[in-house]
Amino acid sequence: MKTLLIKNARNIITMNDSRDKHPGGSIYIEGQEIKAIGKDIPYKNADEVIDASGKIVYPGLINTHHHLYQTFTRNIPRAQNVELFDWLITLYDIWRHIRPQDVYLSAMTGLGELLKSGCTTIADHFYVFPDGVSGEMIDEEVRAAEEIGVRFFPTRGSMSLGRSRGGLPPDQVVQKEDIILKDTMRVIEKYHDASKFSKVRVGVAPCSPFSVSADLLKESAALARSYGVRMHTHLAETKDEADFCRETLGMRPLELMEETGWVGEDVWYAHGIWFNEREIATLGSCGCGVAHCPSSNMKLGSGTMPIIDMLRSGVKVGLGVDGSASNDASNLLLELKVMNLLHNHHHGTTALSAEDCLYMATKGSAKVLGWEDAIGSMEVGKAGDMFMIDASRLEFAGALFDDTSLPVLTGTPQVDMTIVGGKVVYKEGHLLNVDERGLAIQAQQAAYRMMETASKHTKANYLRAR
Ligand SMILES: [Zn+2]
């Protein structure tokens, strides 16, 4: 097995339970696994040796909620300054023109940006399967993740409640429930690897209370549990969602989850803003996790997650980028600074420290994904997933008084090296497994194509309707 020695780091921030740090420390990795970490380790050589003098090493960040396909619908003028439902209605009409090649290229683009921001594990939620287009588009994301070298947690999303049945999405982007369940089984059987250092774990993820039926929720839960895979969905994101549930189902969003089997240790929700006190207590006692997506919540004016009450009740909280259309970036490091500032502003300056935020994006996220035995902190027996920053960079001069908080408070958008499972995948400004410049050109061309097709389609529909 290939070995890697990272030696003489300025500091190693482990984020283990006692939040140990190792100034002047080294890390020895065999295959994917950390075999030794600390100041005096018994390894002096390896197949590859990295001199980390002047560098600070952190555990790889873990993104618990994303929609990589949305990378091609960022910064669209008509989707700005609107709340979630109007934002979705605008974008569904563009997303319905997505093709498998777009899914691959948008995933490569989003994953590349995440690696450059120190993120090593990504959970993605793919739920748009337009009518008449290959149902195997999620496969394109898995292919991209393997090529670029991340640890990937794709969740097979779904929408079954089209506009004609009272849902929000147009009928052209929803699928029949039997087709959804059959393809979800196919994706799990083809890709899910439950082993400790797996590079692909699959989850089951109906989109939201306003785009799937209660029947699909129930059947998806039964299917996920029959395979022992985790379950994910959007929940309590906006007041509009709570109103929708009350008006169409006569219940609160979390009641819908309780009725359909969607609470438990194996469930995590995205957002979790509009929970009341009783519901937060329920989430804590059931062991549910929540992916916090601060930039998206602020962009869409959705509200602020009651994170302090949630943590106090024992709810597992991880960090997510969401989007990218509701973030406009796929940068988890930037998300840390946003999170820190948001909660200082909303809950007061003593509510969450920068270190607490870093914990949420590493160990916290690992717990949300049920993967804390392997990722989320740097310890012997865990995966060699990490990022490094060079403390000699100009933007850190005058700021070297607390190595743990440094990347959070300074808000640096990029790291200097990212390692996944003992393999360097990004260094000195370049992704190692992809031609970045070529990818950027191809990706923007694909985004233009999708947008032009959508515009032509909208114009034709408008002329027909006149
Ligand atoms: Zn989302």
Side-chain angles (χ1 to χ4, degrees), residues 65-67 70 125 127 232 234 237 270-271 293 296 322-323 326:
H65 183 67
H66 204 112
H67 311 288
Q70 293 182 10
H125 186 180
Y127 59 85
H232 181 48
H234 293 96
E237 180 175 2
H271 305 297
C293 306
S296 170
D322 198 12
S326 61

Side-chain angles (χ1 to χ4, degrees), residues 171-440:
D171 290 352
Q172 292 85 355
V173 291
V174 305
Q175 290 182 298
K176 289 202 169 69
E177 281 147 13
D178 57 337
I179 291 175
I180 291 168
L181 294 167
K182 202 170 155 206
D183 192 58
T184 305
M185 287 164 70
R186 178 190 71 80
V187 174
I188 296 169
E189 286 171 14
K190 188 166 180 188
Y191 297 111
H192 182 64
D193 171 4
S195 67
K196 183 176 176 185
F197 296 120
S198 158
K199 286 291 190 75
V200 183
R201 284 191 181 180
V202 174
V204 176
C207 189
S208 62
F210 50 84
S211 60
V212 298
S213 65
D215 277 349
L216 182 63
L217 282 167
K218 273 184 204 158
E219 291 188 39
S220 296
L223 187 148
R225 291 194 170 117
S226 74
Y227 280 98
V229 301
R230 294 181 89 74
M231 298 151 59
H232 181 48
T233 190
H234 293 96
L235 201 75
E237 180 175 2
T238 63
K239 189 171 173 302
D240 286 343
E241 178 200 310
D243 293 344
F244 177 94
C245 288
R246 193 187 60 244
E247 284 160 19
T248 61
L249 304 163
M251 59 178 87
R252 301 261 307 157
L254 189 63
E255 283 179 284
L256 173 64
M257 295 296 115
E258 288 174 305
E259 289 227 339
T260 52
W262 274 77
V263 288
E265 287 278 345
D266 51 357
V267 177
W268 90 100
Y269 309 120
H271 305 297
I273 295 166
W274 293 86
F275 289 128
N276 61 31
E277 231 172 88
R278 184 195 65 78
E279 290 169 336
I280 291 173
T282 303
L283 296 179
S285 59
C286 291
C288 295
V290 179
H292 180 32
C293 306
S295 290
S296 170
N297 298 159
M298 284 195 276
K299 180 182 172 83
L300 297 174
S302 305
T304 305
M305 183 204 233
I307 196 165
I308 307 304
D309 293 341
M310 289 168 105
L311 293 171
R312 221 174 268 145
S313 295
V315 180
K316 294 179 285 193
V317 179
L319 192 63
V321 165
D322 198 12
S324 306
S326 61
N327 185 314
D328 301 297
S330 298
N331 190 311
L332 202 60
L333 200 49
L334 212 52
E335 206 63 27
L336 275 167
K337 173 155 181 155
V338 171
M339 177 188 184
N340 188 235
L341 291 176
L342 169 66
H343 295 292
N344 272 7
H345 178 70
H346 193 83
H347 298 288
T349 51
T350 55
L352 280 184
S353 68
E355 184 170 349
D356 293 334
C357 294
L358 185 63
Y359 178 88
M360 231 83 73
T362 52
K363 197 90 181 256
S365 286
K367 286 182 179 177
V368 166
L369 298 183
W371 215 340
E372 66 270 31
D373 61 327
I375 57 175
S377 58
M378 289 204 292
E379 299 173 62
V380 169
K382 291 209 175 186
D385 291 7
M386 65 199 78
F387 71 90
M388 277 184 226
I389 59 173
D390 182 347
S392 69
R393 273 158 54 182
L394 180 71
E395 57 266 46
F396 303 130
L400 297 179
F401 303 109
D402 177 357
D403 288 347
T404 308
S405 304
L406 186 70
V408 183
L409 295 185
T410 57
T412 183
Q414 280 187 15
V415 305
D416 291 282
M417 186 181 285
T418 307
I419 296 174
V420 182
K423 280 192 187 146
V424 180
V425 289
Y426 169 73
K427 73 172 177 183
E428 292 158 5
H430 297 286
L431 294 166
L432 301 191
N433 299 326
V434 62
D435 163 22
E436 261 185 79
R437 217 172 258 271
L439 170 65

Side-chain angles (χ1 to χ4, degrees), residues 51-112:
D51 178 7
S53 312
K55 312 281 197 304
I56 309 167
V57 188
Y58 304 83
L61 304 178
I62 299 170
N63 183 8
T64 55
H65 183 67
H66 204 112
H67 311 288
L68 289 161
Y69 77 90
Q70 293 182 10
T71 306
F72 286 178
T73 46
R74 295 184 284 166
N75 188 28
I76 290 177
R78 68 177 190 271
Q80 307 306 313
N81 309 106
V82 287
E83 292 189 13
L84 180 72
F85 278 18
D86 286 332
W87 176 86
L88 279 170
I89 289 164
T90 304
L91 291 176
Y92 286 140
D93 282 337
I94 302 170
W95 295 338
R96 62 190 271 198
H97 299 288
I98 197 164
R99 296 294 175 266
Q101 178 71 355
D102 304 326
V103 178
Y104 168 77
L105 289 169
S106 57
M108 285 296 269
T109 307
L111 293 171

